[in-house]
Each structure stands twice: as structure tokens, then as C-alpha cells.
Amino acid sequence: MQGKIALEEHFAIPDTLQDSAGFVPDNCWDELKHRLLDFHDTRLKLMDKHGIEMMLLSLNAPAVQAIHDVKKADEIARRANDFLAEQIAKRPDRFQGFAALAMQDPDLATKELQRCVRDLGFKGALVNGFSQINTPESAVYYDLKQYWGFWAECEKLDVPFYLHPRNPIPSMAQIYEGHSWLLGPTWAFGQETAVHALRLMGSGLFDAHPKLQIILGHMGEGLPYSMWRIDNRNAWVKAAPKYPAKRKIADYFRENFYLTTSGNFRTQTLIDAMLEIGADRILFSTDWPFENIDHASDWFDVTSISEADRIKIGRTNSVNLFKLKP
Ligand code: MN
């Protein structure tokens, strides 16, 4: 398919590059490093070759969220956003951007989001899970009340928020001890991000801000497969839900979430996501440079869905959500 738009596509700046070093074997690091720092060479050539008209770019992970010095976190976020804006300005027809935000301080994050959307023309924010604040031993999640002013601004600016994965910090990852192969994209990323998303849904955030839109990668981090069970456990017990939100979790999932195909190129999984959330809320993405553009595109271009859905997922859903003018 020509004219695809992809939106979980990462880059690094020198300050954040090393954050990606552990995710591939040493003999692949030179290649990954090149892919992360490159915008206009390999990346554009692969986009041309595989029918990707536009990428919405975001900083690598965990980057800003793991900088527990709040001032430094904000400084790195601003530096990355300014750098990204310069790259976009060279090819606005091919690249657009997501803001990196120091969620460690909701006020700083709100101001930087405003700057990125109003002054730099960014299409939303991409944040790598919980933030470490003041100490590396902290993990702060965004359903907490101190973030609701930030979410109000996000809704007001009418831009989506991409909740991207990160690993749990070691002191909170006992279940993975002795099984480090489960960390990262294999399992821990999805687990961490799915629970964070459920916290948002159950908190009542979307009752207060019904227009807020959250994007999840990797075909929804496992949530489509579990959505019915979340709302229907012990259905014979007539008791009100134990969370503050007013509606069923699946209602928020269907009305306040979009999913992308990043790093999860499997027809069976896509069809399950389509059956739970609908083709209007699924967006093509690759997860470059951690996954290959050809692996994503060669699969998506021929996967057994209707051509109408392929065009929606590959392109028009993103054009509408991000108000793109390609
Ligand atoms: Mn990613």
C-alpha cells in the first residue's frame, strides 16, 4: 500500500542514545545507533521503498521519564523537541512529531506540551510510561490527581497522548528475577503499559475528560484479548465496580483509545483488535528502528483484511486523528 502513515517511529539525541543500548546484542548496536540518529538517509529511503509517506517521530525510551532530576528531565525534553522540530522543518511533507515531556512535573509538562503544539506544530505527545521523580526508586503513574490539570490541557489542545512502554524499575520487578529474557518487548513492556492504561481507565479520568485520546502501541499491549474478562469477572456477583470511573472499562477503551500495529505484525492479533475496538481506532506503525520497516509493511500490505480497512488503518485514520494535510 502506498501513502501509509506510521506513528511509533523513534529517534535519539546524543543525551538519550545509550538508553537504547541494552535492547539489542552488542553486534547490532552500531546498526541500531545509526538508525536512531538518522533521519534523512536510510529512514527516508526505506519509507520510499515501502510506501510510507509520513512518519510521526518520537524520542527513544525511557529517556526523559528515567531522569529523576526534574530540571534535567525538562531540559532534555526541550532539547529533544527543538532538535526534532529542526529535522521536521527540512521535510515537513515526510515527518511530523510527538513531544517528549518531563511528566516529573505536571506544570512543566503542560507548558512544554503547549509550546510543542502551538509553536513547533507537533501533533501530540509520546511519553515512556511512569516517571521517576527525585529518586531512581520512584515510579509515578499519570492517573494520580496531580496530573489531571495536564490531562485537561491535553484535551483542550485536542492532541492525542501516546503511552509508550518502558521496563519496571528493578526493585519493582521481582516477578522477572532470574528471567530477564521476559523484560522489554518480550513481555514486561506490554504488562507495564497495559496496567498503566487500565489505571487511567478506572480512575474516572475519561468521565472528567471524555474527549481525551490515548494511543497504545503493539496492538494494544494485550488489552483487546483481555477486555471482556476485565468487565465480566464473577458476573454472578451483583456488586458495583471497585473503581472510581462511572462506566465499564471497555467503554473507555472503545471511546478514548487508539491502538497501533507497532512491533506486532500478526494478522490473528490484528483481527482480534479489530473485533474489540473497531478498524476506525487502529493505526499502522512499525516501531522503527527497533523493528524493521519491511517486516511491518510487507505484512500489512497483504494481510487478509478488507481494502477499505487497510486504507483506514494504513492512512486515513491517522490523517483524521492528527488533522494531517498530506
Ligand atoms: Mn517503540
Side-chain angles (χ1 to χ4, degrees), residues 154-171:
C154 214
E155 184 187 45
K156 200 170 127 203
L157 289 167
D158 195 21
V159 290
F161 179 98
Y162 204 127
L163 184 63
H164 183 273
R166 64 174 297 182
N167 271 323
I169 58 175
S171 63

Side-chain angles (χ1 to χ4, degrees), residues 12-319:
I13 58 173
D15 307 84
T16 65
L17 183 62
Q18 283 302 320
D19 285 28
S20 296
F23 290 106
V24 291
D26 288 348
N27 63 346
C28 297
W29 176 233
D30 281 346
E31 167 68 13
L32 182 60
K33 204 160 48 174
H34 164 74
R35 290 178 176 201
L36 277 162
L37 297 172
D38 162 69
F39 286 76
H40 305 283
D41 180 25
T42 309
R43 189 184 296 254
L44 263 184
K45 280 184 199 139
L46 286 167
M47 288 167 66
D48 288 340
K49 190 170 171 207
H50 296 282
I52 297 177
E53 181 174 324
M54 183 177 280
M55 275 188 176
L56 277 73
L57 301 174
S58 52
L59 193 60
N60 62 330
V64 177
Q65 272 60 63
I67 304 172
H68 48 88
D69 175 338
V70 178
K71 222 181 124 208
K72 180 89 193 287
D74 186 52
E75 190 187 304
I76 297 296
R78 295 172 65 90
R79 187 178 304 166
N81 293 332
D82 286 339
F83 175 75
L84 176 56
E86 286 168 24
Q87 303 308 315
I88 293 169
K90 291 180 193 167
R91 289 307 299 269
D93 56 330
R94 307 303 299 277
F95 298 129
Q96 292 291 322
F98 283 117
L101 299 175
M103 296 295 282
Q104 287 84 345
D105 181 328
D107 293 332
L108 288 177
T110 303
K111 284 197 192 93
E112 182 61 0
L113 180 64
Q114 289 168 335
R115 184 181 82 95
C116 286
V117 172
R118 289 180 191 152
D119 304 343
L120 305 182
F122 286 6
K123 302 302 177 189
L126 182 142
V127 166
N128 297 310
F130 65 84
S131 284
Q132 285 156 278
I133 307 181
N134 295 323
T135 154
E137 285 304 303
S138 78
V140 177
Y141 292 85
Y142 311 135
D143 54 290
L144 300 177
K145 283 286 179 196
Q146 61 263 36
Y147 288 101
W148 286 35
F150 167 83
W151 291 122
E153 187 59 24
C154 214
E155 184 187 45
K156 200 170 127 203
L157 289 167
D158 195 21
V159 290
F161 179 98
Y162 204 127
L163 184 63
H164 183 273
R166 64 174 297 182
N167 271 323
I169 58 175
S171 63
M172 299 176 189
Q174 191 187 17
I175 196 169
Y176 300 117
E177 272 174 30
H179 299 270
S180 59
W181 65 276
L182 285 166
L183 289 167
T186 309
W187 190 259
F189 275 3
Q191 165 79 9
E192 173 67 39
T193 313
V195 175
H196 198 166
L198 288 168
R199 287 178 61 134
L200 297 179
M201 291 182 234
S203 70
L205 177 65
F206 302 109
D207 297 321
H209 301 291
K211 288 188 186 140
L212 194 56
Q213 298 297 326
I214 310 292
I215 305 172
L216 298 174
H218 318 105
M219 220 74 94
E221 313 290 5
L223 286 172
Y225 214 77
S226 300
M227 197 42 65
W228 185 87
R229 183 162 159 81
I230 290 166
D231 280 323
N232 291 282
R233 50 157 268 190
N234 311 138
W236 61 275
V237 177
K238 300 296 173 207
K242 290 178 180 165
Y243 51 72
K246 294 198 178 101
R247 303 166 65 197
K248 288 189 174 225
I249 295 299
D251 293 340
Y252 304 110
F253 191 57
R254 280 194 303 266
E255 292 175 27
N256 299 97
F257 283 78
Y258 283 81
L259 315 181
T260 80
T261 65
S262 63
N264 205 342
F265 315 133
R266 178 74 167 164
T267 304
Q268 287 87 333
T269 313
L270 172 62
I271 287 173
D272 179 54
M274 290 167 77
L275 291 174
E276 283 295 344
I277 203 168
D280 291 339
R281 286 185 168 269
I282 303 177
L283 313 161
F284 173 76
S285 290
T286 80
D287 210 352
W288 177 261
F290 302 99
E291 304 294 345
N292 268 15
I293 287 171
D294 58 335
H295 295 169
S297 298
D298 291 349
W299 163 74
F300 181 74
D301 289 356
V302 300
T303 189
S304 297
I305 55 174
S306 73
E307 291 312 309
D309 284 344
R310 198 182 325 276
I311 290 165
K312 278 186 188 177
I313 295 169
R315 178 180 176 88
T316 49
N317 288 346
S318 286
V319 169

